[in-house]
Amino acid sequence: MAKSIEHVHARNAELVFNLLQTNGGLYLKIGQAIAMQSAILPPEFQKMFSKMFDDAPQNSWADVERVIREDFGKSAEEVFGPMLEHTARASASVAQVHWARLQDGREVAVKIQKREIAQQVGWDLWAFKVVAKAYTKAFDLPLYSLVPYITERLMLETDFVNEADNSERMKGLIEGEPRLRGKVYIPKVIRELSSTRVMTAEWIEGVRLWDKEAVTSPWRGSWTEGTPGCGSTPLDAPGIVRGDLGNGVSSARSRQSRPAKEAEEESLKPERNHWRGPTGTGGLGLSMKDVMGTMVDLFSAQMFLWGWVHCDPHPGNIFVRRKPFGKPELVLIDHGLYIHMNPEFRHQYALFWKSLMTFDNKTIENIVRSWGIGSPDMFASATLMRPYTGGDQSTSSAIRGGLKGKDEAERAFEMQQKMREGIKEMLGDETKWPRELIFIGRNFRIVQGNNQFLGSPVNRVKITGLWASRALAESPDLPLPERIRNFGRHIIFRFVLFGSDVVFLFSKLRQFLGIGGGMEDDLENQMRTMAKGFGVELNHGVFNG
C-alpha cells in the first residue's frame, strides 16, 4: 500500500522507465519523447525520465558486420576497406557511429543501425500505442490521437535513405541562404556507401556544443588556420602524412589476427589535438554569443522561412568548429527526425509568433482557434516558455478558482486535476490540431535549454521573433503585395522589440553582478512560479540536451 500519491507516481514512473530502458531501441526514443513532454506529468516522472538521455549501449562488432553484409551483400572490409574501427565512437538508441578511412584516403563516419531495430520496430510501435493508451486513460488527456503522427515520424527515423535526403535538402537550403552560408555546415553524404540501415558521411573533427570550456578557451593555433578540416585547414597539421595506406592495411590485418576483444578496443583514428597547444589546454577561442546566435538563426530559418525543421537539436548533434581568422561554424548532424510545415501553416505560425511579441491578442486567438486550440493564453505561455501576460487569463482563473481543499496539499491536488482539464481545453478539437506542433515544441525547448546551459548569451526570443516577422516579408509563397505590406510592418516591428532588448540587458546586468543566471533562467523561474500556482512542479532540467 503506497503511503502517498507521490509514492504511487514514483513507483509507476520506475516501472515504465525500466520497461522502456530494458527493451532499448525505439523504446528509448519513446522514453525520450515522454521526457520532452513531461512538464504536464508528475515530478516523479520528470525526474526518472531525465535519465533517458544517457548514452545507449553499443552493439557487438558481429552485429555490425551482419547489418553491413545484409545491406550490401559484402563484408565490412569489402565495402569500407580494412580501416574501419570495430568500436563505435558514439552510440544512440537507433544507431552507432564508427570511424573509417576509405582506400582513397577519405575519412568517413559510418552510421550503422542497430540490428535489433529492424526486428523490434513493429512490436515497439505496437507497445508505444499501448503505453499511450494507458497514459490517455491514466491521466485523462487526449494523447492517443497523436500516436499515428508520432509513429510515422519514428518510422522515418529508422530509414537512413530518408535521413540522407533530409541532410542533402538542408545542405542546399543553407548554401542558398546568405545569412547562414559559411556559418553552418552539413556533412556530405556518400550515397554509394549508404543504404536503408547504413549511412556514410564525411568525418567531422569538432567540439561538442556542450563543451563550453573547449569552445571558449584561448586559441593556441595560428590566426590564419582553423580547426582540422574546417574551411581551408587540412585535417592534419603540416608535416604529418596519413596517406600510407599500406601501413594501415598491415595494421588492420594484424588486428584481425588478435583476439576479438583486443581488436575491438584498438583505435585506428588519429588524434588531432595539436590546435590545443603544447599543454593541451587551448580551445576554439570563440564567443558563445556568436555560436548560440548562429544556432537560433538556423532553427528559426528552418521554422519560418523553409518549413523543414530538424527536431532533434540536442548538444550531441551539434559540433562547433573554428574557421580561419576566428569565426565559428556549426556542424549539424543526425537528420533523421524532421517535420515539414506546409506554406499556409508556416505563415500562420510566423504570424502567431510575431503577434506574441506585440500582444496582438485578436490575431493570436483567431490563429490558435483555427488550429482547434481552446485556450490561447495557455498555449501562448507554452510557446514562449514564459507566462504570457497579454491574454484574458480565463483558463488560469478557472483553474485557480473554487478550490475546496483543507490544506495546501489537497488544494494542489485539486489544481492538478483542473490543470488536466485546462490542457484538454488547450488541445481542443483533435481533428484540427496541427501534429507538427509536437515536434516544433520539442525543437524550441531543446534550443532554449542549450541557450540556458551556455549562460543565455543571446536574446533567443527576440531573434526568433525577428525571423518570424522577416519571413512574412520574404517568403516567395506569399503574393508580392502582401510581402510589401509585411515588410513595412517588419520595420515597425523592429522598434517594438526594443522592450525585449531592455529585459535582456537587465538580465545580463543581474547575471554580471552574480544575482541571476541569465535571461533563460529568469524566464524559467517565471514559468515555474506560474506552474506552481496551478499545482504543477516544472522540472525543465530534464529537457537540457
Side-chain angles (χ1 to χ4, degrees), residues 507-536:
S507 69
K508 293 300 286 185
L509 176 62
R510 294 179 72 249
Q511 187 179 21
F512 177 76
L513 296 174
I515 55 176
M519 187 175 185
E520 298 290 5
D521 280 356
D522 293 344
L523 297 181
E524 181 168 303
N525 288 333
Q526 293 173 25
M527 201 66 175
R528 286 179 191 271
T529 301
M530 184 186 80
K532 195 167 185 178
F534 294 149
V536 176

Side-chain angles (χ1 to χ4, degrees), residues 99-354:
W99 175 91
R101 179 184 286 131
L102 304 179
Q103 294 188 352
D104 60 10
R106 287 179 295 172
E107 294 185 23
V108 295
V110 185
K111 181 176 181 179
I112 302 169
Q113 190 175 119
K114 294 181 176 178
R115 192 166 183 274
E116 66 271 15
I117 295 296
Q119 300 168 348
Q120 289 182 355
V121 64
W123 287 105
D124 285 359
L125 293 177
W126 176 83
F128 175 43
K129 293 177 182 179
V130 172
V131 171
K133 193 78 171 178
Y135 265 67
T136 299
K137 186 174 182 180
F139 295 101
D140 194 24
L141 293 172
L143 301 176
Y144 189 72
S145 62
L146 308 178
V147 166
Y149 184 78
I150 296 174
T151 299
E152 179 189 11
R153 295 298 99 191
L154 292 175
M155 282 293 293
L156 285 173
E157 197 171 4
T158 66
D159 180 358
F160 289 179
V161 173
N162 171 68
E163 179 172 351
D165 291 342
N166 289 337
S167 178
E168 291 178 344
R169 180 189 299 112
M170 186 50 54
K171 188 177 184 71
L173 290 170
I174 289 169
E175 289 176 353
E177 173 50 61
R179 287 163 292 202
L180 292 169
R181 188 190 309 128
K183 294 183 177 181
V184 180
Y185 186 78
I186 308 295
K188 181 181 178 182
V189 176
I190 302 172
R191 287 281 189 170
E192 64 270 22
L193 296 178
S194 300
S195 66
T196 305
R197 293 187 295 168
V198 178
M199 193 180 86
T200 305
E202 63 179 300
W203 180 263
I204 295 295
E205 295 280 351
V207 173
R208 297 282 189 180
L209 181 67
W210 59 52
D211 194 346
K212 185 177 180 180
E213 182 179 359
V215 173
T216 58
S217 293
W219 174 249
R220 304 298 184 190
S222 168
W223 180 251
T224 59
E225 293 180 345
T227 46
C230 184
S232 59
T233 307
L235 272 176
D236 291 305
I240 298 178
V241 180
R242 306 281 186 192
D244 187 356
L245 296 179
N247 290 339
V249 172
S250 175
S251 172
R253 286 178 177 166
S254 66
R255 177 185 61 176
Q256 293 172 357
S257 65
R258 295 199 299 276
K261 183 174 178 59
E262 290 184 22
E264 286 194 22
E265 291 177 352
E266 182 178 355
S267 173
L268 298 174
K269 177 188 170 299
E271 295 301 323
R272 298 185 173 96
N273 295 321
H274 55 274
W275 54 273
R276 290 183 179 271
T279 62
T281 58
L284 301 181
L286 298 174
S287 160
M288 291 310 308
K289 180 180 178 180
D290 291 341
V291 171
M292 197 63 217
T294 298
M295 183 178 180
V296 179
D297 282 340
L298 169 63
F299 293 113
S300 297
Q302 289 184 354
M303 208 165 289
F304 301 118
L305 198 59
W306 305 324
W308 289 98
V309 186
H310 186 297
C311 298
D312 204 11
H314 66 75
N317 287 338
I318 299 171
F319 289 98
V320 184
R321 303 197 294 188
R322 178 189 170 102
K323 299 178 68 176
F325 304 105
K327 291 297 183 181
E329 180 180 69
L330 297 190
V331 181
L332 183 63
I333 63 171
D334 197 355
H335 298 266
L337 186 56
Y338 269 71
I339 59 105
H340 178 236
M341 304 166 68
N342 66 54
E344 180 183 4
F345 175 58
R346 175 163 50 84
H347 299 151
Q348 283 183 327
Y349 197 68
L351 182 58
F352 168 70
W353 246 95
K354 183 179 178 181

Side-chain angles (χ1 to χ4, degrees), residues 386-407:
R386 65 173 171 82
Y388 177 70
T389 56
D392 62 13
Q393 307 299 308
S394 58
T395 305
S396 59
S397 299
I399 291 171
R400 289 192 179 99
L403 301 178
K404 301 177 181 178
K406 299 176 182 177
D407 54 32

Side-chain angles (χ1 to χ4, degrees), residues 141 151 187 189 213 343 346 350 364 385 415 462 494 497 501:
L141 293 172
T151 299
V189 176
E213 182 179 359
R346 175 163 50 84
I364 291 171
M385 286 174 285
M415 280 193 290
K462 176 188 173 181
R494 294 183 69 94
L497 289 181
D501 286 328

Side-chain angles (χ1 to χ4, degrees), residues 303-304 309 341-356 367-368 371 379 382-384 434 436-437 439-441 444 464 468-469 472:
M303 208 165 289
F304 301 118
V309 186
M341 304 166 68
N342 66 54
E344 180 183 4
F345 175 58
R346 175 163 50 84
H347 299 151
Q348 283 183 327
Y349 197 68
L351 182 58
F352 168 70
W353 246 95
K354 183 179 178 181
S355 300
L356 289 176
I367 291 173
V368 299
W371 293 342
F379 185 72
T383 300
L384 289 169
E436 295 87 352
L437 290 172
F439 292 101
I440 291 173
F444 266 125
T464 305
S469 178
L472 291 171

